[in-house]
Amino acid sequence: MKINLKKAVALMAAVMVLALTACASGDKGRPELLEPAGARPESAMVERRDLSDLTLYSGQLVPDMTELSFDVDGYISGIFVNAGDVISEGDVLAAITGKDYRTVLALEDEIAELRTTTQEELKELEAELELERLAGRDTSESELKLKHRRETARLEIELKEKRLEELKENDPGYRYITAPCDCTVTAAAGIGEGTYVAAGTPLVALDCGGGLTLTCDYISESEIASAYSCYALINGAEYELGYIAYSKEELRDMAAREITPVSRFTVLKRRDGSGETREENEYGAGDYAAVILISDMHSNVLVVPRNAVYSDTSGKFVYEIVDNARVKRNVVTGISDSAYVEITEGLGEGAVVYVKN
């Protein structure tokens, strides 16, 4: 069948006019946008990935420090250095005294003074007694007075000496800390004279040139031992770490003094497979470091986004999308990270699940 060209052009023009008229009568003249067929903006496919149970700790590189403290309780007599001071081996850095130290000193002076004055007083009484004898007078009263004074002085001195012995028995006396080597002071406690400090309280920290230590929030030795991997990211490079464990005595002491421990690591070789140690100036004191603890690692496992997984009294479940409908599927989960959860049972690869916003 032949179609007249002029008639065909006229027919097409009429159809276009009708279409434009219909659009203009709609919502403010805007054409309606239809959702593309098969689009699922709230869905994700079950896929395979390598998944790790990872925890990130913020850390910092600090100079290896030797912390000095006293092994007895006492009162600060003086801290004689400041951060940044360059010191020599044997320099006195800090001193403490016992709480009764000043009492001990005062009592020692008092006893010495009492001995002196008593001796002088007894000599005077003995001289007076001798003069009475030479004068032919009755000396019985003077002899009794001399005897009584000797006895009271002896008892007074004995009581003070006993008190002094009791004080010294539990008093550390005057003690001081000296520098173990030529080094630099990195920190000194700002504690005033007369302040009480418990045994083991760090008062001075020294940089003895031992290198750098990486510190972060506390990770127990058992966590490190059972971890799949633990490494540090410093200035864009990965480094293996050596864990520095606390002794049981150190942990007990920190617990008694309510001190929160930190984890300490030595930074070892780079994790680039070269086996080379770090180059000079790759990192330094004060640099930030991310300590990455991987508790577990599973390779090529089925995963879904974390916000696709729900839970109730029956356990974990997801909504699988089947023929545009949500079907509840009970699942068994494994490890997870910040974005994904491992699915060990309940779903197959390629299934599509609902993901809540």
Side-chain angles (χ1 to χ4, degrees):
M1 182 178 63
K2 295 181 180 180
I3 299 177
N4 185 281
L5 182 58
K6 290 183 178 180
K7 289 183 178 179
V9 170
L11 180 61
M12 290 178 64
V15 170
M16 290 178 66
V17 169
L18 289 173
L20 290 172
T21 303
C23 290
S25 65
D27 184 14
K28 298 182 181 180
R30 291 194 298 268
E32 182 180 0
L33 298 177
L34 300 179
E35 182 177 345
R40 296 192 180 102
E42 297 179 334
S43 65
M45 184 178 292
V46 180
E47 59 182 348
R48 291 190 176 274
R49 285 175 175 263
D50 292 342
L51 196 63
S52 59
D53 186 358
L54 178 150
T55 307
L56 179 68
Y57 298 86
S58 294
Q60 189 175 30
L61 289 159
V62 298
D64 280 345
M65 294 187 297
T66 300
E67 292 185 338
L68 303 179
S69 61
F70 290 98
D71 58 359
V72 293
D73 300 345
Y75 292 80
I76 293 294
S77 178
I79 296 177
F80 311 118
V81 291
N82 297 299
D85 288 353
V86 177
I87 56 177
S88 301
E89 181 178 355
D91 286 353
V92 176
L93 310 180
I96 63 166
T97 61
K99 62 184 178 64
D100 296 316
Y101 182 68
R102 288 183 174 81
T103 303
V104 168
L105 293 181
L107 193 52
E108 287 177 337
D109 290 342
E110 190 178 333
I111 291 172
E113 180 67 20
L114 182 58
R115 289 183 183 279
T116 300
T117 57
T118 298
Q119 288 177 357
E120 291 174 353
E121 186 180 353
L122 291 177
K123 285 180 179 179
E124 290 178 1
L125 291 175
E126 289 172 350
E128 291 176 3
L129 179 61
E130 186 62 24
L131 289 173
E132 288 180 358
R133 287 195 183 116
L134 292 174
R137 294 197 298 267
D138 183 7
T139 60
S140 56
E141 184 176 344
S142 296
E143 288 175 354
L144 184 61
K145 181 180 179 181
L146 177 60
K147 181 180 179 181
H148 180 265
R149 186 66 191 99
R150 279 183 179 144
E151 187 63 23
T152 55
R154 182 184 64 81
L155 289 174
E156 189 175 358
I157 291 173
E158 284 182 357
L159 287 173
K160 290 184 181 295
E161 286 178 335
K162 184 178 180 181
R163 171 62 177 157
L164 178 62
E165 185 178 348
E166 291 173 350
L167 290 174
K168 283 186 172 181
E169 185 176 352
N170 299 312
D171 191 273
Y174 183 87
R175 297 200 181 191
Y176 52 88
I177 295 173
T178 59
C181 59
D182 296 347
C183 53
T184 303
V185 178
T186 56
I191 301 176
E193 184 178 354
T195 303
Y196 174 82
V197 292
T201 302
L203 298 176
V204 180
L206 307 177
D207 178 5
C208 297
L212 298 174
T213 297
L214 172 55
T215 64
C216 69
D217 288 342
Y218 185 62
I219 308 170
S220 70
E221 187 174 5
S222 60
E223 288 178 289
I224 293 292
S226 62
Y228 177 85
S229 177
C230 184
Y231 62 95
L233 186 64
I234 309 171
N235 295 334
E238 295 181 5
Y239 295 87
E240 295 180 7
L241 298 176
Y243 185 74
I244 304 173
Y246 290 101
S247 66
K248 292 181 179 179
E249 292 73 17
E250 286 177 312
L251 289 173
R252 279 197 296 266
D253 179 63
M254 285 186 285
R257 293 191 283 129
E258 298 182 348
I259 295 175
T260 302
V262 296
S263 285
R264 305 169 300 175
F265 300 90
T266 54
V267 180
L268 305 177
K269 63 185 180 182
R270 292 178 63 144
R271 285 165 53 96
D272 57 4
S274 67
E276 296 294 329
T277 56
R278 75 178 183 91
E279 296 179 3
E280 197 66 29
N281 300 323
E282 264 187 14
Y283 56 77
D287 283 356
Y288 170 82
V291 177
I292 300 167
L293 179 72
I294 300 177
S295 301
D296 203 356
M297 170 73 81
H298 292 179
S299 299
N300 195 33
V301 294
L302 295 178
V303 300
V304 297
R306 287 180 67 96
N307 52 350
V309 181
Y310 298 81
S311 62
D312 58 17
T313 55
S314 64
K316 302 286 182 66
F317 64 93
V318 301
Y319 290 109
E320 183 180 2
I321 298 177
V322 180
D323 296 331
N324 291 323
R326 300 178 192 173
V327 180
K328 181 179 179 180
R329 304 291 192 200
N330 292 324
V331 294
V332 178
T333 60
I335 65 172
S336 63
D337 62 13
S338 60
Y340 293 95
V341 177
E342 178 186 6
I343 301 297
T344 59
E345 293 182 23
L347 285 174
E349 184 175 1
V352 177
V353 295
Y354 170 72
V355 179
K356 58 187 174 183
N357 292 327

